Amino acid sequence: MQQDMIQGKAVTIQEVFTARQYRLDSYQRDYTWGREDIRRLIDDLRTKFMTNWSLEHDREDVARYSPYFLGPYVYHDDAHITFLVDGQQRITTLHLMLIYLRELLLAQDLEGEAAHLSSLIQSRKFGKPVYTLDIPDRGPFLEQVFSAQDYALPDNAPGDLRRLWEGARVLQEEFPDELRGDALPYFVDWLLDGVCMVGIRAATSEQGWEIYESMNDRGVRLGPIDLLKSFLLSKIGGEKGGIDKLWRQMVSDLAGIDVNAPAEFIKTFLISRYADVSMEPGDKPTDVERINGPFHAWVKDNVERLDLQRASDFRGLVEDLAKYSERFRTLAAATKAYDRELQSVFFNAYNGIKSQAAPILAAVEPKDDSASFKTKAQLIADYLDLLFARRVVNDLPSSGLDSYAARLVERVRGGVSTDKLRTILADEVSALDYDFKNMKAYGLRSNNSSQVRYLLARLTGFVQTGCGQSDDMAAYLDTSRPFEIEHIWANHFERYQPETNTRAMFDAYRNRLGALLLLRKSDNASYQDLPYERKVEYYQRQNQLAGSLHTAHRDRNPTFNKFARQYKLDRLLRAFAKFDKKAIDDRQALYQRLCELIWNPAVFGTAPVSATRRTDPSRTRTRARYDVSVADLIDKGLLLVNAELIGQRRGERFQARVLVDGQIQVASGETFRSLSGAGEFVLQTKACPGWNFWQTQVDGRLVRLIDIRREALEKGLV
C-alpha cells in the first residue's frame, strides 16, 4: 500500500536535472510555450535574483539569497525512464536555459561550471549519451544548440519543434545584459540551488493520469480573478445576476485572446487608473509589485483609494472593467496581427515592451469613440517605439522603458484630449538627452540581433512604402524568420585586410548597421559568401534599400527618385561600385538619417517652451548594487577621463578608453555604457565579466577595476 501512495517533495533545479532521463507520457501535450511565456519566466528569475545580488558578494553568499518557487511537476518512474505527466513546459524551457547558460559560462572561460551544467543537460545511459529531456524528435535540434550552432529550421517543421527553436532564439536574443556579465556565475549558482519545484511522484501511469486530470480539469484552486469577483459581488446588494453575467462575459472574451489575458487586463486596468506608480522599489512592495501578484488582495486593501463606499460603487467598478476590457482586447489583437492603424502597438509587442497598455488605458476618456481611442493608442505606442529605437542605438537597456511608461501614466491618468496628449508626448521627447546622433559606430553584436533586425525591418519598410511598394512589415518581423540579416561584406578577412589591418577592425566594420541589409532567408543563404561586385547584381532585384546599392538602380525608377527627392536623400541614398570602409561610413550616415525620418518627433507637435531636460528615470540607481559606476569612480578622481583600459585573454591584449560620461570606447570607435558590453565586443563573445576583465594603470601597475571599486567602497569614498 505504501508504495502506491502519491509522494511530493521539494527539489532544487539541480536535483530536477540530476541523474534523470525524462520522456513524455502519451497524454502530455507538445511544447506550447511562446515568446511571451519565456520572457515572463526570464524576467521573473532576473527580478528575484537581482534583488539579492551584489558585485561585492562572494559566491558563498548566494546560499543566503531568497529562494524562488517555480511550481509543481508530476512524474512517474518506469525502470530507468522518468515520464513527465505535468510540468514539461517549465522543464523544457529550463533545459534550453541550461544549454544557453553553459554557452555563456564557456564564453567567460568558466569551464568547470560549464562542465557541471553539461552533466545536467545530458548524461550517459548504458554507454550512450542521452539528453536529460530525452524526446526523440528533438535530438537533432538539441545537438545543434548544445554545440552552439545555428539550427536550420525546416520549412515543414512541426509546431513543437518550431516553438523549441523560437524558445532558443528568445534566450539568445533577450537574455538580460546584467546576467551575462559579472553576475553570471552567481546567477547559475542561485538557479541551481535557490530555485525549486515540487516533484509529485505517481506510483503508476494510471495514477499519473488521475493527478493530471485533477490538476487540469477538476478542483482547480481559485485564482486572483475568482477571488476579486467574489469580493466585488459580495459588496453589491440586491440582484447580482446581471453583474455576474457581465463579469463572466468579460473574462470569456478576454480568454478568447489568450489564457493569461483576463489577469493581464485587470492588472493593467488597476495600474492605469489607481496605482501609485511613483513608488520606488525597496523593502516595502510597491503598488505595481503587489498588483502584479495577488491583485485581489491589493483591491481589498485599497477600497478607499478606489472610492468604493456603496454597493453602487462596486457595481460601477465591474461596469468600468467591462467597458475598458473592450479597449484592451483591441490592443491585444493589435499586438498579434499587424494593423497599420495601430502598427506601433504591434512593433512594441515584437520588442517585448509590456508596459504600453497602462498609459494607453490611462489616457482614454469614457466619451472616446473608436477613432479617438486608436489615435491615442497609436500616439503613445509611437512614443514608446521612438524611445526604444533611440535607446537601442545608444546602448541603453530597453527594460528602462517601464519607468517612462509609469511617468506617462501619472501625466495622462483620468483621460486627456488628443491635443493635450500630443503636447505631453512632445514635452517628454524634448526632455530626452539622447537621439540618433551617436550611432556612427552602432552595429550587430553578440546580443542584439533582434534589435538590429527590427531596425533594418523599419528602414527597409520605410523605403519600400515610400516608393509605393507594398507594406511587408508583418513578413519582415515574422517570428519564423522568412527574412534574415545579410552582411554586405562576406566573412573573408583576407579580402579586406589591406584596409582593415586587423581581424577585430574587420569584424567591427562588417557588423556596422550600414553594412547590413534585410533579405529573404533563401536569397541570403544563396549568395552571402560572394564578393560585393557579384552580390550587388542580386541586390538590384531585392527591396529598394538593397537595390539602391546598384549603380543602375535609379535608371527608369521614378518612384525611387521621387522618394529620394522628397526626403532630400539624393546625396545619401547613392550607389557604390565598390563597397569599402568609406562606403560603410556613408551608408551608416544614410541609416542614421532614415532613423531620424522614421522616428520623427514632429508627429507629436511642438513641445512647450518650458520643456527642460530631465534625468533619465531608467538610469536612476535605487539599490546599493548600482551605487558605484564608472562615472562615480571618475567623479571621485579614482579613474581618469581618457584613462586607458587593458583587457587580456589567451595572450591577446585589448584596449579601450574611458569617456567623460563614464562610457567605454573601444579601439574601433564603438561606445558602450557597460564594461561587460565593451568586453563582449572586443572578445567577440556572448558574455564577459566586465569589472573583472578590464584593468588600468595605477602607480605603474595594472589593477582590475573591480579592485579599484572594492577599495573605494571599503574606504567610504563612494
Side-chain angles (χ1 to χ4, degrees), residues 1-242:
M1 176 70 77
Q2 186 68 32
Q3 65 268 23
D4 295 333
M5 296 290 288
I6 296 169
Q7 299 179 19
K9 179 185 177 183
V11 289
T12 65
I13 298 304
Q14 178 152 252
E15 291 172 310
V16 171
F17 285 91
T18 297
R20 289 285 186 181
Q21 183 179 355
Y22 292 107
R23 289 185 183 164
L24 301 183
D25 224 328
S26 57
Y27 46 80
Q28 257 286 290
R29 58 181 176 167
D30 288 337
Y31 184 63
T32 60
W33 269 23
R35 182 173 287 263
E36 280 307 311
D37 300 298
I38 299 171
R39 281 172 171 166
R40 192 178 298 113
L41 176 62
I42 293 172
D43 191 54
D44 288 347
L45 292 172
R46 178 195 65 82
T47 301
K48 189 67 174 181
F49 170 78
M50 293 302 287
T51 59
N52 291 275
W53 178 72
S54 169
L55 185 55
E56 279 62 56
H57 285 173
D58 293 324
R59 292 277 291 275
E60 292 80 3
D61 292 325
V62 175
R64 293 191 291 273
Y65 289 5
S66 300
Y68 182 74
F69 176 57
L70 204 53
Y73 69 103
V74 183
Y75 67 96
H76 69 88
D77 293 317
D78 186 352
H80 67 282
I81 303 295
T82 298
F83 286 92
L84 280 174
V85 175
D86 199 28
Q88 79 118 335
Q89 308 299 324
R90 289 186 182 88
I91 290 179
T92 295
T93 306
L94 288 168
H95 195 228
L96 290 174
M97 187 178 293
L98 292 178
I99 293 173
Y100 180 63
L101 289 171
R102 172 184 173 274
E103 187 179 345
L104 297 184
L105 290 169
L106 288 173
Q108 291 196 10
D109 290 336
L110 297 173
E111 295 179 1
E113 284 87 344
H116 178 57
L117 287 194
S118 294
S119 71
L120 302 180
I121 295 163
Q122 65 174 190
S123 59
R124 295 190 70 82
K125 297 284 186 182
F126 307 109
K128 296 180 180 180
V130 294
Y131 286 99
T132 304
L133 205 56
D134 183 28
I135 316 299
D137 293 344
R138 300 178 184 178
F141 166 78
L142 290 175
E143 282 296 328
Q144 293 290 99
V145 175
F146 187 70
S147 303
Q149 299 177 31
D150 286 334
Y151 176 74
L153 186 72
D155 292 337
N156 62 346
D160 180 56
L161 182 57
R162 191 173 294 278
R163 283 184 288 274
L164 278 171
W165 175 80
E166 177 67 15
R169 300 290 297 198
V170 173
L171 288 164
Q172 291 277 348
E173 296 172 353
E174 302 189 28
F175 198 75
D177 291 349
E178 59 264 49
L179 299 184
R180 293 199 323 273
D182 296 271
L184 175 63
Y186 299 79
F187 176 75
V188 173
D189 290 341
W190 176 77
L191 177 68
L192 295 182
D193 294 316
V195 179
C196 64
M197 302 180 76
V198 169
I200 301 173
R201 187 183 73 81
T204 64
S205 176
E206 292 74 16
Q207 195 178 71
W209 169 248
E210 291 174 6
I211 299 171
Y212 178 82
E213 258 196 321
S214 66
M215 292 180 67
N216 290 279
D217 295 329
R218 309 191 300 266
V220 178
R221 65 185 180 89
L222 296 178
I225 292 178
D226 307 295
L227 294 170
L228 178 60
K229 173 189 172 182
S230 298
F231 171 67
L232 296 178
L233 266 62
S234 71
K235 301 295 184 180
I236 298 173
E239 175 58 43
K240 301 181 178 66

Side-chain angles (χ1 to χ4, degrees), residues 253-473:
D253 290 342
L254 288 165
I257 300 170
D258 182 84
V259 67
N260 296 312
E264 290 302 316
F265 161 65
I266 293 176
K267 293 174 187 178
T268 302
F269 177 84
L270 294 174
I271 291 169
S272 69
R273 311 304 287 186
Y274 303 109
D276 180 357
V277 292
S278 65
M279 296 173 68
E280 294 285 357
D283 295 331
K284 181 181 178 181
T286 67
D287 279 354
V288 173
E289 288 171 338
R290 289 196 62 197
I291 290 170
N292 280 321
F295 50 78
H296 66 286
W298 183 88
V299 172
K300 286 183 178 180
D301 294 341
N302 288 274
V303 290
E304 289 186 12
R305 189 189 304 185
L306 275 65
D307 198 21
L308 299 175
Q309 300 177 33
R310 297 175 293 276
S312 59
D313 298 328
F314 287 88
R315 181 182 294 271
L317 177 58
V318 175
E319 291 170 345
D320 283 347
L321 281 165
K323 185 185 305 179
Y324 280 91
S325 72
E326 297 176 13
R327 303 300 193 194
F328 186 84
R329 292 207 317 271
T330 300
L331 296 176
T335 65
K336 296 179 180 298
Y338 180 69
D339 177 356
R340 194 160 176 80
E341 277 190 300
L342 293 171
Q343 61 177 6
S344 288
V345 174
F346 179 82
F347 297 151
N348 291 338
Y350 172 84
N351 289 317
I353 302 172
K354 298 181 292 186
S355 53
Q356 63 177 332
I360 291 173
L361 292 189
V364 173
E365 297 176 285
K367 65 181 182 181
D368 286 343
D369 58 17
S370 178
S372 298
F373 165 71
K374 287 185 176 181
T375 299
K376 291 180 181 180
Q378 182 65 6
L379 283 169
I380 290 173
D382 282 345
Y383 165 70
L384 294 173
D385 182 43
L386 178 148
L387 281 177
F388 177 84
R390 287 193 183 185
R391 294 179 75 80
V392 161
V393 301
N394 282 279
D395 197 36
L396 286 166
S398 58
S399 58
L401 290 173
D402 288 347
S403 51
Y404 283 97
R407 185 166 67 197
L408 195 56
V409 166
E410 286 188 293
R411 296 195 68 179
V412 303
R413 176 175 282 164
V416 293
S417 68
T418 301
D419 289 341
K420 177 64 174 175
L421 179 60
R422 290 183 191 276
T423 301
I424 290 171
L425 295 176
D427 178 48
E428 291 289 327
V429 173
S430 66
L432 299 175
D433 61 355
Y434 51 91
D435 51 26
F436 294 106
K437 291 185 175 64
N438 294 324
M439 61 181 289
K440 180 179 180 181
Y442 178 77
L444 185 64
R445 298 167 186 171
S446 64
N447 63 328
N448 71 347
S449 61
S450 180
Q451 293 95 322
V452 167
R453 185 167 174 266
Y454 175 67
L455 293 178
L456 290 171
R458 294 299 305 277
L459 300 180
T460 303
F462 179 71
V463 179
Q464 281 292 95
T465 56
C467 293
Q469 305 291 311
S470 60
D471 185 346
D472 293 327
M473 286 304 304

Side-chain angles (χ1 to χ4, degrees), residues 458-514:
R458 294 299 305 277
L459 300 180
T460 303
F462 179 71
V463 179
Q464 281 292 95
T465 56
C467 293
Q469 305 291 311
S470 60
D471 185 346
D472 293 327
M473 286 304 304
Y476 295 156
L477 299 178
D478 190 319
T479 54
S480 66
R481 307 295 171 86
F483 287 81
E484 283 289 1
I485 297 170
E486 155 79 354
H487 286 83
I488 298 176
W489 276 10
N491 192 16
H492 288 280
F493 171 47
E494 69 280 2
R495 295 179 188 172
Y496 303 95
Q497 188 171 7
E499 59 176 325
T500 59
N501 297 322
T502 66
R503 177 77 200 200
M505 187 64 74
F506 166 76
D507 287 334
Y509 265 87
R510 179 175 181 265
N511 287 313
R512 292 273 165 86
L513 190 66

Side-chain angles (χ1 to χ4, degrees), residues 455-657:
L455 293 178
L456 290 171
R458 294 299 305 277
L459 300 180
T460 303
F462 179 71
V463 179
Q464 281 292 95
T465 56
C467 293
Q469 305 291 311
S470 60
D471 185 346
D472 293 327
M473 286 304 304
Y476 295 156
L477 299 178
D478 190 319
T479 54
S480 66
R481 307 295 171 86
F483 287 81
E484 283 289 1
I485 297 170
E486 155 79 354
H487 286 83
I488 298 176
W489 276 10
N491 192 16
H492 288 280
F493 171 47
E494 69 280 2
R495 295 179 188 172
Y496 303 95
Q497 188 171 7
E499 59 176 325
T500 59
N501 297 322
T502 66
R503 177 77 200 200
M505 187 64 74
F506 166 76
D507 287 334
Y509 265 87
R510 179 175 181 265
N511 287 313
R512 292 273 165 86
L513 190 66
L516 304 174
L517 298 167
L518 194 69
L519 302 181
R520 287 195 176 277
K521 183 188 296 186
S522 55
D523 297 325
N524 169 253
S526 64
Y527 49 75
Q528 61 180 350
D529 208 41
L530 298 176
Y532 172 75
E533 291 74 17
R534 291 183 61 191
K535 279 186 175 187
V536 75
E537 296 298 327
Y538 294 101
Y539 293 162
Q540 166 74 335
R541 301 195 293 269
Q542 295 288 333
N543 58 70
Q544 296 279 357
L545 187 59
S548 66
L549 290 164
H550 197 285
T551 54
H553 192 68
R554 284 181 176 267
D555 298 346
R556 296 185 298 280
N557 197 344
T559 56
F560 178 83
N561 293 325
K562 180 182 178 182
F563 171 81
R565 290 193 302 271
Q566 178 183 352
Y567 291 104
K568 299 180 174 58
L569 294 172
D570 281 301
R571 182 181 62 83
L572 291 172
L573 196 56
R574 66 186 187 85
F576 297 93
K578 177 183 178 183
F579 204 73
D580 53 13
K581 281 175 60 178
K582 175 64 166 56
I584 292 175
D585 289 336
D586 290 348
R587 193 77 171 178
Q588 191 88 359
L590 166 66
Y591 284 11
Q592 176 184 326
R593 182 58 188 147
L594 290 175
C595 285
E596 292 166 347
L597 291 169
I598 294 167
W599 290 283
N600 187 349
V603 68
F604 307 118
T606 306
V609 176
S610 60
T612 56
R613 296 276 165 121
R614 288 187 288 271
T615 302
D616 179 349
S618 70
R619 300 183 208 172
T620 303
R621 301 194 299 270
T622 58
R623 287 186 55 85
R625 70 173 181 275
Y626 294 133
D627 282 345
V628 182
S629 65
V630 172
D632 292 325
L633 298 182
I634 294 172
D635 290 342
K636 299 299 181 181
L638 302 171
L639 192 62
L640 299 178
V641 174
N642 289 321
E644 183 184 40
L645 299 183
I646 301 296
Q648 300 180 83
R649 188 191 193 199
R650 298 173 185 171
E652 193 171 358
R653 187 180 177 97
F654 305 93
Q655 294 175 302
R657 68 187 183 98

